[in-house]
Amino acid sequence: MLKICSRSDKGPVRKNNQDSVYTSDAPIGDLLNVFIVADGMGGHTAGELASSIAINTMLDSLRVSNDKNPAVSLKKAVRSANTAVFEKSLSIDCADGMGTTIVACTFIENVVQAVNVGDSRMYVINAGSIKQVTVDHSLVEEMIRRGGLTRDKARSHPEKNVITRAVGIKPEVEPDVFTTILESGDTVLLCTDGLTNMVTDSRIKQIILGSKDVVDAADKLVSEANENGGLDNVSVVLIKYEEN
């Protein structure tokens, strides 16, 4: 059984919300459920348009997919979204260079298949740990992997928001795929960097474990991000898995 809650908030600083969120615990095409978070980028309303186009195109792709492998279906959906956003950016004024991150997942009982492009993340949280499943496509992540930067220093690095891969920026994009096996009681979090830049991983875990349910946790995560400065839009999707 899945307990689900999503929240998306523009925050106190930004003029509009460029994030888009989608959740469905009902089947979409061959997938039993679908959860997507997208963080758009671009001037004026271009980011908002990019994230919306990306999610809608992914859903269109998933509805007609006949792949039996969920990871393949999700990857194809992201590639379709990339084409749609890229072509749209070429066809309208003030949208040159618009793009979006994507993190999406689907559950098959206790197995989660996820894809990501950019720095929106998927975590798994339980009483023992908080684990970041996805790997950011970002400049600071590359620096960490090369050993030139610690994760603590990465949080305050001046180029922490520079991403190295996004949907819609180039004609083609390759999403990364992750598979995670859950235990009953685990909570999956999909989120934009509007959360993770404002709230530490340890505090995210503390909030989720200390909340009465996923609705309470989602509200508290957004509130804390905004209270800590709310420099960006913040979006979260929480899915708690419990065995029937």
Side-chain angles (χ1 to χ4, degrees), residues 106-231:
T106 187
F107 287 64
I108 309 166
E109 297 183 352
N110 69 325
V111 178
V112 183
Q113 294 273 19
V115 293
N116 85 304
V117 176
D119 60 358
S120 292
R121 297 175 177 176
M122 178 178 128
Y123 290 88
V124 175
I125 300 98
N126 54 43
S129 67
I130 175 169
K131 178 184 177 183
Q132 182 181 335
V133 176
T134 54
V135 177
D136 295 350
H137 300 129
S138 68
L139 183 61
V140 294
E141 183 65 33
E142 291 183 358
M143 295 169 69
I144 290 169
R145 287 186 160 193
R146 292 197 301 265
L149 189 68
T150 66
R151 293 218 173 264
D152 285 342
K153 290 184 177 180
R155 289 188 56 80
S156 58
H157 194 280
E159 295 181 303
K160 65 181 180 180
N161 294 322
V162 178
I163 61 175
T164 56
R165 198 184 306 180
V167 169
I169 300 297
K170 297 180 179 179
E172 296 181 358
V173 75
E174 185 62 21
D176 289 342
V177 177
F178 303 87
T179 302
T180 301
I181 299 175
L182 303 178
E183 300 290 338
S184 184
D186 285 354
T187 299
V188 171
L189 166 66
L190 306 181
C191 63
T192 59
D193 66 348
L195 176 68
T196 53
N197 284 340
M198 296 290 106
V199 185
T200 64
D201 287 7
S202 59
R203 180 60 181 152
I204 290 171
K205 174 189 171 186
Q206 185 180 29
I207 290 171
I208 291 173
L209 295 181
S211 299
K212 61 183 180 181
D213 54 30
V214 291
V215 175
D216 185 38
D219 288 338
K220 287 178 177 176
L221 289 172
V222 171
S223 293
E224 182 137 337
N226 288 336
E227 289 167 5
N228 289 349
L231 300 179

Side-chain angles (χ1 to χ4, degrees), residues 5-18:
C5 183
S6 66
R7 293 287 185 266
S8 187
D9 190 270
K10 76 177 182 64
V13 175
R14 296 295 179 93
K15 293 182 178 180
N16 64 315
N17 191 350
Q18 296 190 324

